[in-house]
Amino acid sequence: MARDDGALITRILSTPVEDLLAEARARRDGRFGRGTPARMTYSPKVFIPLTRLCTDVCHYCTFATTPSRLEAPYMSEPEVLDVARAGAAAGCKEALFTLGDAPERRYAAAREWLADHGFARTIDYVRHCAELVLKETGLLPHVNAGILDEEDYRMLRPVAASVGLMLESTSERLLEKGMCHHGSPDKVPAVRLASLDAAGRARVPTTSGVLIGIGEAPEERIEALLALRDLHERHGHLQEVIVQNFCPKPGTKMSGAAEASEADFLRTIAAARIILPGEVSVQAPPNLNDERLAELIDAGIDDWGGISPVTLDHVNPEAPWPEVEQLEAVCARAGLPLVERLTIYPRYIGGAGSEWLDPEIRPAVLKLADAEGLGRDSRWCPGVADGAPGSVRTPLGRRYEGPVASRIHRMLDRAGDGVSLSEEEIVSLFATRGAAAQAVVEAADALRAEVSGDDVTYVVNRNINYTNICTHACSFCAFSKTSIKAGFRDKPYNLDLDEIAARAREAVARGATEVCLQGGIHPSYTGETYLSILRAVKDECPDLHVHAFSPLEVSQGARTLDMPVSDYLARLRDAGLGSLPGTAAEILCDDIRAQICPDKLTTQEWLDVVGSAHRVGLPTTSTIMFGHLEGTEHWARHLLALRNLQLDTGGITEFVPLPLVHMEAPFYRRGQSRKGPTWREAVLMHAVARLALNGAIDSIQCSWVKLGMDGAAAVLAAGANDLGGVLMNESISRAAGALHGQEVGVDELRQAAGSVGRRLKQRTTLYADVGDQLARNEMA
């Protein structure tokens, strides 16, 4: 022990238990609001008991057995995959491999089975099965394989997202004759601490814990927690510490032993929260404590561990898992919404160069992760044909009960008053779950009604993407074609001016008031090219509003003519350009742009082009492309950048969230990206944008191309007021894999608006009434 740990032990053991619990709660709750939202987590998992043979003979264990009681020493590959596949079908994300310590050291049957199947050690077979499960099912293996050395942990890194080893106790007395660990060489405290230390050196996220009530003294429990604290401070590798209560089991030598009292159990949980660094979660098993779940929350835990809808707890088979709905209700009453996590905790996922996440397993982690590094909330992804999980009555997919923290209400009130929220506040709104997220959605919808009224607007427009040939290599783009891109839906093309004009004429004939012109950065295009495209449309259709040229295209055009951007924008304006699409924004944070579009405009360059457009009288839209490599802090910075620009120039007409459609995106196909936002994230992007941009940008548009029409309707009840356009010939989302079509009819838009009890109203690009605009055109 270091520091004044003796005094700490004395204080923890002498403080009245209610006071200690209050201190632990305060420490846990003090983490919330500083990057860790108020929540309880759990991991949906399957339990794979690869072998029940073990070198040790712990006197409380019913999991370990002998070869004579087993059909085979180890589960076969088909048996392992059957369990894993059932878990994947049930929505699990973790495959927990649990087994006895190196049984080949004790049993000839184990050695012979391994040799017959081509393995020298149990851990080699564990690695093989973990790799199989990862490859065949996508579940993330978590390996509890007993004592391992650093080389073993490094061997597991490419196939296991995390590992676990219970310290249990640091008491040497438990090794004595008559005590629970007598005859169990792997339970020597120094051996277990050395293995946990090796996991830290190998940079593997690790779970550990203490087992109380097995004969240890109260001060020894605290000493074990202090030893875990010291390990984590040395390596930073402990994700969570489990405080598990011993439950006597019939048929064991300790079947008649007394359990630790409830007060002692709760005191140890509180001690764990007080002793351990704030980033280390404290967990208690819910299936062993189903009658005191609220008490465990009050003692300072923030995680329930793994819960399986498929397999029982093979270590405690007498204790069934609680229903997730039961846990949700208990957590909601405590104001801590229950949230799925992965077996690897968010802080260990990091960027592409994370020291904690092996590159081989990273793609599987990203497929299951949301923007916070937690588990995706459903199988839904933008662009899929399946219906959205939410509806106009329940945008988040269901209604939630429970208290909402006063600080959330204060943020919502300030946003409603038009006050600029801070980055931290916006991140907090994006992180809300359960009743708090519902409060955000309801506040956004109320603000929408106040600011934008009950009309749902749309524009009749046509997209003309005149070329998909592009010199840029944006890692998310499946639309553009270069020499390094192949295998996607469309072939390279470059429309001539007559074809562009003809498509504009067809659009007018079908009632369009706007044509949206964008394309790739063609190597032969100059500023004159864009001017010629613009003139071709305006000569053919002089009254048609031309909404054209991304900030990247404008920058390209100005550069090729060797003129300032503002001067080039003025030329475009004078030639008939009506407004600019605020695309190519992606994420307005240069650390993310450097990864997804390194040769595009920087954040400041994008803002400068858009600001210059506003100053020469050209309005723009604004966008965000989200759900890939970025986090909620990047969303917040993006919204603040747009808000500040709008307060300066006032030229943004609307904000359009564009969720990533991942299916054909190159960086997703390379395993470098998430699968777009989750449904909750998609809903909250519209809702939080309504709140964060209040007083600056009044219109929040939703993309039926990305969300589907039912999804777009649901978002209309979460702060959005505009359905965009009918988008004749939309091709960018389709190239990325979206299955919601290239065009939509006005009747479908009207049905979506009607589903939320609102009237559909056609608008112009600049949000004027269409009748008024047509009358002005006729007078002109």
Side-chain angles (χ1 to χ4, degrees), residues 700-756:
I700 308 297
Q701 184 184 120
C702 53
S703 171
W704 58 262
V705 176
K706 319 281 189 180
L707 301 174
M709 195 55 69
D710 60 334
V715 169
L716 288 175
N721 64 287
D722 188 79
L723 284 169
V726 296
L727 293 179
M728 306 173 204
N729 298 111
E730 195 287 328
S731 56
I732 294 175
S733 296
R734 187 187 66 84
L739 299 176
H740 296 307
Q742 292 179 269
E743 186 175 337
V744 71
V746 173
D747 286 345
E748 294 173 84
L749 299 179
R750 184 173 292 109
Q751 184 176 358
S755 70
V756 287

Side-chain angles (χ1 to χ4, degrees), residues 459-467 479 493 495 499-508 510-519 533 537 544-549 553 581 583 621 623 654 656 658 701 703-706 723-735 741-744 763 765:
V459 63
V460 177
N461 62 350
R462 180 174 193 169
N463 274 19
I464 302 178
N465 302 122
Y466 34 76
T467 183
F479 170 74
Y493 69 84
L495 302 182
E499 177 62 21
I500 294 170
R503 293 189 184 191
R505 185 174 62 250
E506 291 170 2
V508 171
R510 295 180 59 183
T513 61
E514 171 199 308
V515 64
C516 179
L517 301 167
Q518 293 184 98
I533 291 172
V537 172
L544 183 62
H545 184 102
V546 179
H547 180 66
F549 313 135
E553 291 174 288
T583 51
T621 60
T623 62
E654 64 201 32
V656 190
L658 300 173
Q701 184 184 120
S703 171
W704 58 262
V705 176
K706 319 281 189 180
L723 284 169
V726 296
L727 293 179
M728 306 173 204
N729 298 111
E730 195 287 328
S731 56
I732 294 175
S733 296
R734 187 187 66 84
Q742 292 179 269
E743 186 175 337
V744 71
R763 63 167 173 86
T765 304

Side-chain angles (χ1 to χ4, degrees), residues 636-647:
R637 291 170 201 161
H638 187 106
L639 291 178
L640 287 172
L642 294 179
R643 180 183 179 88
N644 291 336
L645 175 65
Q646 179 73 342
L647 292 177

Side-chain angles (χ1 to χ4, degrees), residues 300-607:
I301 69 166
D302 59 281
D303 187 79
W304 294 114
I307 298 175
S308 179
V310 176
T311 54
L312 51 77
D313 178 352
H314 290 276
V315 175
N316 300 284
E318 77 286 356
W321 302 113
E323 295 292 332
V324 170
E325 291 76 10
Q326 176 193 3
L327 280 181
E328 278 188 335
V330 172
C331 293
R333 286 194 291 271
L336 298 171
L338 185 65
V339 179
E340 287 187 22
R341 63 165 170 83
L342 305 180
T343 183
I344 180 170
Y345 275 54
R347 69 180 182 277
Y348 292 101
I349 295 175
S354 171
E355 64 176 339
W356 296 102
L357 187 58
D358 191 273
E360 291 297 315
I361 201 171
R362 182 176 177 78
V365 171
L366 292 180
K367 284 182 181 180
L368 298 176
D370 68 9
E372 295 178 80
L374 295 165
R376 296 184 70 86
D377 58 14
S378 71
R379 297 181 188 274
W380 179 89
C381 298
V384 299
D386 299 339
S391 68
V392 296
R393 294 184 180 275
T394 55
L396 291 169
R398 53 178 288 193
R399 292 202 64 80
Y400 295 90
E401 303 297 330
V404 177
S406 58
R407 65 185 185 85
I408 297 294
H409 284 302
R410 288 195 297 270
M411 291 179 209
L412 298 180
D413 290 344
R414 292 176 65 241
D417 291 338
V419 176
S420 291
L421 300 178
S422 69
E423 179 183 321
E424 182 180 352
E425 288 174 318
I426 296 172
V427 169
S428 294
L429 295 181
F430 277 126
T432 53
R433 309 266 176 160
Q438 186 168 288
V440 171
V441 167
E442 291 172 352
D445 194 48
L447 186 58
R448 180 272 313 157
E450 177 184 332
V451 172
S452 302
D454 286 332
D455 288 335
V456 174
T457 52
Y458 77 101
V459 63
V460 177
N461 62 350
R462 180 174 193 169
N463 274 19
I464 302 178
N465 302 122
Y466 34 76
T467 183
N468 64 354
I469 298 170
C470 187
T471 59
H472 291 263
C474 301
S475 60
F476 55 84
C477 183
F479 170 74
S480 68
K481 300 292 170 278
T482 70
S483 60
I484 63 170
K485 293 182 180 179
F488 302 108
R489 293 187 177 190
D490 300 314
K491 296 186 181 302
Y493 69 84
N494 186 30
L495 302 182
D496 60 32
L497 295 179
D498 288 342
E499 177 62 21
I500 294 170
R503 293 189 184 191
R505 185 174 62 250
E506 291 170 2
V508 171
R510 295 180 59 183
T513 61
E514 171 199 308
V515 64
C516 179
L517 301 167
Q518 293 184 98
I521 304 300
H522 195 290
S524 68
Y525 277 26
T526 69
E528 289 297 341
T529 308
Y530 297 118
L531 284 163
S532 65
I533 291 172
L534 177 59
R535 293 186 188 109
V537 172
K538 294 301 287 186
D539 288 348
E540 188 72 25
C541 308
D543 295 330
L544 183 62
H545 184 102
V546 179
H547 180 66
F549 313 135
S550 72
L552 181 61
E553 291 174 288
V554 169
S555 177
Q556 158 87 349
R559 181 182 58 79
T560 59
L561 297 182
D562 194 25
M563 64 191 311
V565 165
S566 58
D567 291 351
Y568 183 59
L569 284 164
R571 287 190 63 185
L572 291 170
R573 177 202 62 203
D574 294 344
L577 183 63
S579 58
L580 267 68
T583 51
E586 324 315 352
I587 293 290
L588 293 175
C589 300
D590 286 332
D591 56 336
I592 299 299
R593 298 180 78 80
Q595 299 176 67
I596 67 173
C597 52
D599 50 356
K600 257 186 178 173
L601 301 178
T602 66
T603 294
Q604 191 57 53
E605 287 170 342
W606 187 93
L607 293 169

Side-chain angles (χ1 to χ4, degrees), residues 89-133:
C92 295
K93 297 176 176 65
E94 172 189 342
L96 169 60
F97 285 84
T98 189
L99 53 146
D101 280 70
E104 67 273 19
R105 299 206 316 256
R106 181 174 183 181
Y107 295 109
R111 293 191 294 273
E112 292 166 2
W113 190 97
L114 289 169
D116 289 344
H117 290 79
F119 301 97
R121 303 175 303 158
T122 297
I123 191 60
D124 299 323
Y125 185 53
V126 171
R127 190 200 187 282
H128 171 76
C129 289
E131 183 176 25
L132 198 63
V133 165

